Amino acid sequence: MTLFERVKEIAKKRGYSLAELSRRAGIGQKSIYTWKPSKTYPNGVTPSREVLEKVSNELNVSVDYLLSGEEQKNETTKKVNIEELLDGTAMLTDRDGELTDSDRAALRALISTYLQSTEGRERLKKYSNMELDDNGGNGDD
């Protein structure tokens, strides 16, 4: 698989067109298309390391993976702990940053239900490189 094919495949999995990926990475809109093998460049144009890093960061894969296909991610997958999420939502209240027990229970149920759905798991992984912890995000040991 060529660099172009690999980038196109990963972008598609992430829901990006190549033009959208280029925009998000801050590179020229047609840049990625120059990586595609052609009669003039049988191996495609090789982008600079800086451009590869921008694209790899947007796709959440390593530059090495883009170039070779070896499975490596830029960072390890983090685990979601719903209790930690709830601690971060306390500022949304009008009670001096404190959630009541009933607020916490309602938010915990809502977040847990969503994150356990297929859509929730996919969006969590796509946008945050996180997944539910072994206790369904509840933080229980």
Side-chain angles (χ1 to χ4, degrees):
M1 182 178 284
T2 67
L3 170 63
F4 175 80
E5 292 168 332
R6 193 169 292 111
V7 168
K8 185 176 179 180
E9 180 180 284
I10 298 167
K12 184 177 180 180
K13 286 180 184 177
R14 303 284 193 271
Y16 303 143
S17 67
L18 293 180
E20 172 71 5
L21 175 59
S22 296
R23 186 190 65 73
R24 292 175 65 99
I27 63 174
Q29 186 174 0
K30 304 283 184 187
S31 294
I32 295 173
Y33 287 98
T34 67
W35 306 350
K36 188 176 184 176
S38 65
K39 289 180 183 178
T40 308
Y41 298 100
N43 296 321
V45 173
T46 303
S48 69
R49 181 77 182 185
E50 179 183 356
V51 168
L52 283 171
E53 287 175 355
K54 288 178 179 182
V55 171
S56 72
N57 285 337
E58 281 305 315
L59 295 175
N60 196 34
V61 297
S62 68
V63 170
D64 289 338
Y65 180 75
L66 288 182
L67 294 172
S68 68
E70 289 185 29
E71 186 62 45
Q72 295 178 2
K73 292 195 175 190
N74 283 345
E75 54 188 72
T76 58
T77 301
K78 299 173 189 161
K79 302 289 185 175
V80 172
N81 182 307
I82 292 174
E83 293 305 316
E84 290 174 9
L85 288 174
L86 290 174
D87 290 341
T89 61
M91 70 177 110
L92 300 175
T93 71
D94 60 355
R95 296 187 267 299
D96 296 325
E98 293 295 321
L99 290 173
T100 65
D101 288 342
S102 61
D103 289 340
R104 288 181 79 82
L107 286 170
R108 184 182 305 110
L110 180 67
I111 293 168
S112 181
T113 300
Y114 179 71
L115 292 178
Q116 291 179 29
S117 72
T118 301
E119 178 187 6
R121 283 191 309 272
E122 288 173 0
R123 291 177 66 85
L124 182 67
K125 192 162 197 140
K126 177 178 178 180
Y127 295 113
S128 70
N129 196 36
M130 298 175 86
E131 61 186 29
L132 290 177
D133 65 20
D134 296 332
N135 298 304
N138 292 317
D140 299 328
D141 290 326

